Amino acid sequence: MDAERKQAAPVTAQEPRAPDDLDAPFPAKRMLVNLGPSHPAMHGTTRAVVELDGETIAAMKLDIGFLHRGFEKSCESVTWNQCFPYTDRLNYVSAIMNNVGFALAVEKLCKIDVPDRAKYLRVVGSEMHRMCDHFTLVGALGLELGAMTVLLYAMEARDLLWDRLTELCGARLTSSYCRIGGVARDLPEGWSEKTARTLDRCAVLRDEIDALLTRNRIFVDRTRDVGVVNREDALDLGFTGPCLRASGEPYDVRKSAPYLVYDRVEFDVPVGAHGDNFDRYLMRIEEMRQSERILRQCLAQMEPGDIAIRDFRYVLPPKPQVYGTIEGLMAHFKIIMEGIKVPAGEAYSYTEAANGELGFYVVSDGGGRPYKLGIRAPGWPMVAGLPHMVVGSLLADLIPTFDTINMIGGEVEQ
Amino acid sequence: MAEETKPPAPAAAPPKPAGPPPPPPPKNPGMVTCTIDGKEVVVKPGTNVLEAAKHAGIEIPYYCYHKRLSIAANCRMCLVEMSNSPGGKLQPSCQMPVAEGITIKTDTPKVKDQQRANLEFILLNHPVDCAICDQAGECKLQDFYMKYDGQPSRLDVPKVEKGKRVPLGPLVVLDQERCILCTRCVRFMREVAKAPQLGVAQRGNESFITAFPGQPLDNQYSGNVVDICPVGALTSTDFRFRGRVWFMSAARSVCTGCARGCNTFLDYLSETTYRYRPRENDAVNQEWMCDDGRLSYKYLNAERVLAAREGRGAAGKAVRAVDAAAKAGAILKPLAEQGALAALFSPLASLEDLLAAALVATEGLGRAEVYAGGHPDGWQDDFLKVADENPNRKGLEIVAQAFGLVVRPFSDLVRSIEAGRVRGVWAVGAEAPDPRAAPAFGKLEAFVCQAYNSGGLADEATLLLPAAPHSEMDGTFVSFEGRAQRFELAYWPRGDSRPHWALAGHLGRGLGLTWRWKDAREVFEDLGKRLGSALGDFRWDGLPSIQRRHGLTPLAAGTVDGRLPGYRERVPLDVVDDARRALAKTS
């Protein structure tokens, strides 16, 4: 059969076509297709080299590194608090969750317990950013499968959330909201009520999207049984977060090792069954519902109080004390010029970010700057597992699969 | 016999009260052994607890204690728990010698509480000054507050106001409000400078440091009180408000004020030297230096020759330094052959400079004698300052001897020029003992002058080459005692200037010599061999390991591109020149 194909393969325009040309087997030469790094359909600046057998993906290689910024190394030359802007740029769609993850790791080393209100504020910021992240993913997934409306709905919801976050931390995207020992600022006046209305609107948009996609014939056909990864493979590949849960493993750091106030709020962890694109999509829709539940509970439970610990060794003193007392001035000077002194040692702390387990490993030599910093980016194992998921499927399914694992260049390439 | 007649002691005498138990035999004979924070420490008898703890790597905070001064124990910062203290009272560790077998604790809650309380008292009347204080960044109040206190202020009454800027003398300004009355300065002036010019006046929280009425703090060692002041009370008029210390880097250097060779830190930022601070060296200067030495850095900044010039006065035109140096060989060669050329070496130049210059003078120009320039002699005392105000005269003599050159005084050269016997001079360093001699050099046919600063002989040069002083090169000075001491490059040579050895190398190549050196180390490795054993056991890499300090933004893990940490790209000279001149004027 192979020999016949080889003979049949070279067909050129010059040669008169044989009458049975239409019946001739299709040339079996494999084709290499390069996608990215700047391809409109690629998520992030990533390059995929795909070997195609017809329309089927025979092999695939991912080439990352186009967004590498030396995050871990950069952090070694700035003070602990100055690391926060760097963490913003890891998963830039959900910056506060990175801030929280880093802050918790350093606070573990300092043995600091932040005030309750700061914990609630961190959870509020995190869950809003989780919704942003999921809206982005669902909107983009719709867009890739031809559903422009979904993208517009998702963008509207995301921008509403970002408006609230702007009021909270002063930036839409790069929040830098946390500080070692607390958060940067308290809720603006009337923010809770406004946010409740925003959540109402987001719920409407989310349910619209749900209605548009979940029972949509085209959407279901394109996502069902595509990019499948079963539970064992997902565990072996190191998946976490919605992608792991979509494969049937109910692992969520917020439940298995509750941090901040996740043990004080009620929420459910959705778990999928098939590990395909459709389940991963459903995970996101359901997690947005749960995030909304968490947010509403937090806003109701939150009580007035300090937003950061009162310890001059870790948190900048209030400005009247800086300008009015020598103690405050010296503390301010030392924290700004030399950084807070984190006790020597090492700590690993992990949180449930939008894409999975986000871990920070920090090492301190007792000085004002990190001695070493390492990050477990949740997107990384998923990116590594992508070839496993797409080989054998159609080229057209690569991009949606790429979307549902939600690779964020900023965090994968650090 | 008289004793026998004495009545015998009554048998029923009451038993003697039990005295203190005999001291236990020392665990380590000849030494004292104690336990500090669970660590066994063995020290010489008489060592105080603070030093013993330091020996064991345990830090006890202190303000008033200074190992080279008498002990005042008045800051109360170093109190620790000692097992032999009556009633369990905390004891000042700076004052208490270690006793055999005692247990000392430096980190108990009691000690920590006392440190916190003590700092609160010390800071009670301290002004809110960090933003305008020169000490900020190297202030022990800031350090210890963050380490041992960290509590907010509880003061609700106005702070005591005292003299804010009291000029104590030409070099020292006192801020009595910042002072914590540790009396280090008072003790220094009395015990080290042997000039008790400072004292404490008034009582309680009204006390302040002051000089006696009508008697300024004008001792030649007054600058040291600025260094030993643990807070920002004593500041230097020379350094006040000129720069923030956390931006500055410190290079290990040697003072060029006199032939003593006091070890210094040279604090610099970008391409400007801001101050000298004494660096500890028990064999030379302990940790002091004189005021003249402290201010002797100014020639590194001001009135520098930064470009080569050909021709005298108005006829001069700028040329590239490297070209000019090579050209100088051609200018000097015919004069050397006629025997009308003299070489003038400055004892301000480093050993490496002089080695390269001596090589060129002998092998390139065929000279058998060399004239010694340098600064004229100044004042001297029996402590640090010596009369010879040149850092490397001994080095010049050693080098001349190694190359078979006869060293002749500067006055001979002036006489020879005036008599017309010398028509050309090659000067390595333009410093002249007699400033009135400059016009004589104006008569020379050819005067190739490698100079740091303009003015004096440099203005008479027919070919002026810009030379880089010791802040801009690695090198060695040999002190008047024959002690060779290394100094290190702080920043790269400014402008077009090059170290003397590099200029001499270029000049030598114009004369057909083939020596090529990449850096001062190669010069020393090539030519230092000729010095034989003159430098004793000197090692070129033997700079003491006290770490070079870098400014605010060091690369945490060394360099990735081979450049020095803290290195900044050089700003073009014309951009910073105005600023630099303005800076020079503030001095």
Side-chain angles (χ1 to χ4, degrees), chain B residues 205-447:
Chain B
N205 66 0
E206 301 283 336
S207 338
F208 54 85
I209 301 285
T210 183
F212 295 97
Q215 286 183 21
L217 176 67
D218 56 0
N219 184 270
Q220 269 299 342
Y221 294 90
S222 67
N224 293 300
V225 300
V226 177
D227 293 327
I228 58 172
C229 182
V231 299
L234 294 165
T235 49
S236 153
T237 50
D238 183 56
F239 183 65
R240 245 165 103 86
F241 308 134
R242 284 188 63 209
R244 311 289 347 215
V245 294
W246 56 84
F247 288 126
M248 281 174 210
S249 306
R252 291 161 289 182
S253 193
V254 173
C255 177
T256 53
C258 77
R260 171 74 63 177
C262 292
N263 291 203
T264 58
F265 283 113
L266 182 150
D267 285 2
Y268 64 96
L269 172 62
S270 186
E271 291 177 337
T272 307
T273 301
Y274 278 82
R275 59 174 177 177
Y276 285 162
R277 283 179 298 134
R279 177 163 56 97
E280 197 168 359
N281 186 337
D282 272 328
V284 181
N285 57 324
Q286 298 173 324
E287 54 187 279
W288 319 118
M289 68 190 292
C290 71
D291 291 356
D292 280 0
R294 195 179 289 273
L295 297 179
S296 67
Y297 70 89
K298 299 201 172 191
Y299 77 99
L300 303 172
N301 300 331
E303 308 296 327
R304 283 281 303 279
V305 176
L306 293 174
R309 172 169 61 74
E310 199 176 2
R312 281 196 180 101
K317 63 175 199 291
V319 282
R320 274 186 63 210
V322 176
D323 298 344
K327 207 174 186 179
I331 297 171
L332 298 176
K333 186 86 177 169
L335 286 162
E337 281 161 0
Q338 294 162 26
L341 179 74
L344 171 67
F345 287 2
S346 166
L348 247 77
S350 73
L351 190 71
E352 288 74 9
D353 291 338
L354 294 171
L355 282 167
L359 180 88
V360 174
T362 50
E363 293 183 10
L365 296 167
R367 296 296 90 198
E369 54 185 27
V370 61
Y371 296 89
H375 293 310
D377 281 0
W379 62 281
Q380 61 176 320
D381 62 15
D382 54 2
F383 184 29
L384 292 179
K385 182 73 168 55
V386 295
D388 182 4
E389 297 203 334
N390 301 290
N392 200 26
R393 186 173 303 278
K394 190 82 177 174
L396 174 57
E397 285 163 11
I398 292 171
V399 169
Q401 198 175 14
F403 281 82
L405 286 162
V406 176
V407 181
R408 294 183 56 188
F410 184 75
S411 49
D412 284 7
L413 175 64
V414 178
R415 269 198 294 281
S416 299
I417 294 171
E418 277 166 353
R421 287 194 300 277
V422 167
R423 286 179 284 123
V425 168
W426 171 39
V428 176
E431 296 77 23
D434 184 5
R436 289 164 302 172
F441 285 76
K443 295 180 199 149
L444 290 167
E445 273 175 38
F447 179 26

Side-chain angles (χ1 to χ4, degrees), chain B residues 59-80:
Chain B
E59 191 195 346
I60 297 176
Y62 59 85
Y63 290 113
C64 69
Y65 172 73
H66 192 286
K67 67 179 172 189
R68 295 182 202 278
L69 300 176
S70 64
I71 288 160
N74 63 16
C75 76
R76 314 312 282 177
M77 204 53 215
C78 67
L79 301 196
V80 294

Side-chain angles (χ1 to χ4, degrees), chain A residues 73 76-78 310-314 317 321-341 369-371, chain B residues 119-120 123-124 126-131 136-137 139 141-143 145-147 149-154 159 246-247 552-557:
Chain A
K73 194 73 195 166
E76 288 171 21
S77 53
V78 295
R310 294 187 182 196
D311 189 337
F312 285 7
R313 287 170 305 167
Y314 297 112
Q321 296 204 38
V322 175
Y323 299 138
T325 69
I326 182 65
E327 286 86 353
L329 180 61
M330 289 197 295
H332 182 96
F333 177 88
K334 289 296 252 191
I335 291 177
I336 296 292
M337 301 314 289
E338 291 171 14
I340 60 172
K341 297 280 189 292
R369 295 152 197 245
Y371 178 77
Chain B
L119 272 166
E120 187 166 14
L123 293 172
L124 212 54
H126 196 87
V128 189
D129 264 5
C130 297
C139 176
L141 282 177
Q142 292 177 335
D143 293 349
Y145 171 74
M146 282 310 269
K147 212 163 176 184
D149 188 359
Q151 304 296 314
S153 169
R154 291 189 289 171
K159 295 192 180 222
W246 56 84
F247 288 126
L552 179 66
T553 48
L555 300 176

Side-chain angles (χ1 to χ4, degrees), chain A residues 198-239:
Chain A
T198 301
L199 291 178
D200 294 343
R201 176 68 186 147
C202 287
V204 171
L205 290 162
R206 181 196 62 222
D207 292 341
E208 289 258 12
I209 293 172
D210 192 13
L212 280 169
L213 291 182
T214 309
R215 290 165 58 76
N216 182 311
R217 183 83 244 165
I218 305 171
F219 184 79
V220 173
D221 281 354
R222 286 292 307 277
T223 53
R224 189 65 96 194
D225 293 330
V226 173
V228 181
V229 56
N230 62 31
R231 183 173 158 279
E232 284 71 32
D233 286 350
L235 285 171
D236 288 350
L237 286 165
F239 281 22

